[in-house]
């Protein structure tokens, strides 16, 4: 019984983590649930899970809806998904840094576009903070997967 619960939690961790981070929307720390982009990127490109990409597409749409950005993160996710499907030289799964640099490109490109979308000092500072915060939190959130995979009670 306990083993089945642990197995269920291991399998559902990406979905639960994404939903939790999207739902935990706090203006300064997690505006519009944007931190959900971390598990969306990680479990879509670094450790792909079957059928998770459809869930990610829906979650990107929900982030866009909350941010009042019509399909911005959804289109960026689709672009990266397409590029990842055609690439042959970069293997996200076998990098030592858990593809932290690729996530920096993903989030940085999106945030750079958002900076120029409404170019004000406040917007610039907020988006710079968001970029730094997303990339700092990438490490502990992706380490959660390693902990969950190694943690097995008998």
């Amino acid at each position: 019984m306990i083993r089945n619960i642990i197995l269920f939690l291991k399998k559902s961790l990406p979905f639960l983590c994404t939903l939790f981070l999207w739902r935990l929307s706090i203006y300064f720390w997690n505006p519009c649930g944007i931190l959900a982009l971390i598990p969306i990127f990680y479990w879509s490109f670094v450790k792909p899970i079957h059928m998770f990409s459809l869930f990610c597409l829906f979650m990107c749409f929900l982030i866009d809806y909350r941010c009042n950005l019509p399909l911005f993160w959804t289109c960026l996710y689709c672009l990266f998904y397409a590029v990842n499907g055609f690439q042959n030289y970069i293997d996200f799964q076998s990098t030592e840094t858990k593809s932290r640099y690729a996530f920096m490109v993903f989030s940085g490109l999106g945030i750079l576009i958002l900076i120029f979308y409404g170019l004000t000092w406040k917007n610039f500072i907020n988006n710079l903070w968001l970029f730094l915060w997303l990339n700092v939190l990438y490490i502990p959130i992706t380490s959660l997967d390693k902990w969950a995979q190694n943690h097995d009670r008998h």
Side-chain angles (χ1 to χ4, degrees):
M1 174 74 174
I2 299 290
R3 192 170 200 89
N4 290 337
I5 293 171
I6 292 172
L7 182 62
F8 170 76
L9 289 175
K10 281 184 182 181
K11 295 286 184 180
S12 63
L13 178 67
F15 299 95
L16 294 175
C17 186
T18 305
L19 282 172
F20 175 75
L21 288 172
W22 175 75
R23 187 71 181 124
L24 183 71
S25 180
I26 303 168
Y27 174 71
F28 184 73
W29 299 106
N30 187 11
C32 304
I34 197 96
L35 289 180
L37 290 175
I38 297 169
I40 286 171
F41 181 86
Y42 183 72
W43 280 296
S44 288
F45 302 120
V46 181
K47 292 188 95 179
I49 295 173
H50 181 65
M51 297 300 289
F52 188 66
S53 58
L54 293 174
F55 177 74
C56 291
L57 201 57
F58 178 67
M59 291 305 297
C60 285
F61 175 76
L62 290 177
I63 291 170
D64 287 335
Y65 178 74
R66 270 195 179 166
C67 292
N68 200 18
L69 297 168
L71 300 177
F72 176 75
W73 290 107
T74 308
C75 290
L76 191 63
Y77 174 78
C78 289
L79 176 70
F80 267 72
Y81 195 80
V83 168
N84 186 44
F86 290 119
Q87 58 89 15
N88 291 327
Y89 301 106
I90 303 169
D91 186 15
F92 288 149
Q93 289 93 7
S94 63
T95 60
E96 289 181 22
T97 61
K98 299 177 193 157
S99 296
R100 185 174 51 235
Y101 302 126
F103 180 72
M104 285 180 175
V105 171
F106 174 72
S107 63
L109 180 64
I111 289 174
L112 185 66
I113 293 169
L114 288 177
I115 285 174
F116 289 115
Y117 177 69
L119 192 57
T120 63
W121 280 108
K122 181 182 177 190
N123 187 28
F124 178 76
I125 298 298
N126 284 341
N127 284 321
L128 183 63
W129 158 252
L130 187 60
F131 174 75
L132 293 171
W133 187 237
L134 273 169
N135 288 293
V136 164
L137 288 181
Y138 183 81
I139 298 166
I141 291 174
T142 56
S143 296
L144 181 68
D145 178 59
K146 184 178 179 182
W147 176 82
Q149 297 304 323
N150 292 336
H151 188 48
D152 189 34
R153 294 183 185 169
H154 297 288

